[in-house]
Amino acid sequence: MHELEPYLKVGKIRTAHGIHGAFKIELFSDDVARLAYLQNARLVNPHNPQDFIEVKLSLQGRKPETLILSALGIETKEAIMAYQNWYVEVERANAKLLAPGEYFVCDLINCCVVDKTHGEIGIVKDVLQNTSQDVLVISQKGQPDILLPKVDEFILQIDLAAGKIYTNLPHGLFELYRPGNS
């Protein structure tokens, strides 16, 4: 059984904004409007996920790809800078509702990829999102990573409960990532 994360990372604190404890957050979500109304969250140390504080957030402003927030109880620029590069997480229950066929990236990470021709080919280690469609980065033991666009033509089924992604790799893609095939 594939365990789903109870908290979702929605951004990272980048820097203080002003002198009263407001901060800029680098967003991990494409739904800026939804994140603008966050109220309950937690700030999590990227080096130790057990080190976190629960906070109540308040929107202070917006810029493209960035929100300016403040957290109740963090009143100064120096206080917020202690949390620079910390993650902002929300409970899954408070996360954005997904449309059919949409998935949180953290749910796809560590899923086993099973191809209809090649069988088990590897584990999803990352999802690239800066292209026209998401791209799964599939880690293979002793082989280069496979980059697979997350499109219906190649993804047959995603079974999060089982932690499996069933694929139909395009002809030649698997062989392309084998040594000596450049």
Side-chain angles (χ1 to χ4, degrees), residues 11 112 120:
C112 178
E120 193 173 302

Side-chain angles (χ1 to χ4, degrees), residues 2 5 105-113 122-126 163-165:
H2 188 65
E5 297 289 332
V105 169
C106 66
D107 294 340
L108 300 175
I109 302 292
N110 294 321
C111 280
C112 178
V113 180
I123 303 293
V124 176
K125 77 173 191 180
D126 198 2
K164 298 205 183 258
I165 299 175

Side-chain angles (χ1 to χ4, degrees), residues 9-41:
K9 290 177 180 65
V10 296
K12 183 184 267 192
I13 296 174
R14 279 300 174 205
T15 189
H17 182 79
I19 60 170
H20 297 293
F23 58 92
K24 292 180 183 177
I25 175 177
E26 173 191 340
L27 299 174
F28 296 163
S29 173
D30 57 359
D31 190 353
V32 176
R34 167 70 178 96
L35 294 179
Y37 299 101
L38 281 178
Q39 290 185 349
N40 297 311

Side-chain angles (χ1 to χ4, degrees), residues 35-84:
L35 294 179
Y37 299 101
L38 281 178
Q39 290 185 349
N40 297 311
R42 63 187 205 164
L43 308 182
V44 181
N45 184 333
H47 305 293
N48 177 7
Q50 305 308 313
D51 182 13
F52 64 87
I53 63 164
E54 302 279 342
V55 294
K56 294 224 178 267
L57 298 175
S58 173
L59 178 65
Q60 302 297 308
R62 270 189 222 204
K63 295 188 177 196
E65 312 263 332
T66 303
L67 291 178
I68 300 170
L69 302 170
S70 64
L72 191 63
I74 301 176
E75 310 282 328
T76 66
K77 177 180 181 177
E78 294 74 26
I80 197 59
M81 290 306 289
Y83 300 103
Q84 186 175 26

